[in-house]
Amino acid sequence: MKQQLENIEKVAKQELDSCTSIKELDDLRIKYLGKKGELKAILNQMGKLVPEERKEMGQFANRVKSDIENALAEKLETLKAQELEQRIQSEEIDITLPGKKIEVGKLHPLTTVMNEIKDIFLGMGFSIADGPEVEYDYYNFEALNLPPDHPARDTQDTFYITDNILLRTQTSSVQVHVMENQKPPIRIISPGRVYRSDAVDATHSPLFHQIEGLVVDKGITMGDLKGTLETLMKRLYGDDCKIRLRPHHFPFTEPSAEVDVMCFNCHGEGCRVCKNEGYIELLGAGMVHPKVLENCGIDSNVYSGFAFGLGLERVVMRRYNINDMRMLYENDMRFLKQF
Ligand code: PHE
């Protein structure tokens, strides 16, 4: 029996030595130490021995058992270390592989140009005023000298929340808020969204952006208006840019003008882009109507002012030669990536 035990120990150690994986090691553990293992089989025969021998054999068998256990544990540690080492080797980062490209977003052309325009006006000493997009009829129309049955309302049909509350059709509504809350000198711009009940096409959208300008002080003239707009356009389109004021009518300015800017494409010569005009219409403007000043509690005998409303989409389309307004809203990456 001793012979058998020694044999088991010898073979077990040999097998352990050549074992190369944790799975194999586990199989060996079962083979030698398991319930149906080789050691157990021998121990089961102990009953046949005389007590003397049984004691000696018992001790010997236990030593063999713990030897094998120790050897197993030792081997397990070695194998674990080897496997870790292999994993470290195989999972090592290959820094020569190209990295994953991170898409960096950028500003929408409407935002870029809006920011530029804000900067230009801040540089001229204007501040930026904000106003509600959901507006009372009074601020959008009535206080601006457009009483309920005024025909000019037809050109600015909008979306009504109630009879009295609507989505503003123009940023001119902010003029009234500002003049109600602030006494001259006033020098503000007010950029924001405006709405009109227009069908979508290349030059119309039910939502677009305007930048309102308002200056009220003693002795403000049409010359100040022209100078301010000329400065804006030169900064936007280059120093050789010229503007042209054409007589027009707005109920809230008197006199009123439409302001054209020299065609960026032909520099005034006349071409397809400007329909041979040499100029392109960009905004409406004028001297604030005395009635509007009075509606807001400003004495029109003491103060005068000018106002203008610039369409942001038009400026952006001119700037980048975009011929369809819808492209500005469709979020097509092939389009947006170009800016
Ligand atoms: N609010 C006018 C429009 O939307 C533009 C404008 C603003 C005209 C200020 C004159 C003065 O057409």
Side-chain angles (χ1 to χ4, degrees), residues 144 156 169-173 175 194 196 208 210-213 250 252-253 256-258 283-287 306-310:
L144 291 168
Q156 298 196 5
T169 62
Q170 48 187 352
T171 43
S172 299
S173 55
Q175 287 186 32
V194 298
R196 292 190 196 176
F208 58 102
Q210 285 188 338
I211 297 153
E212 194 77 8
F250 294 105
F252 37 92
T253 47
S256 304
E258 274 195 325
L283 67 144
M287 301 306 291
F306 68 75
F308 59 85
L310 176 67

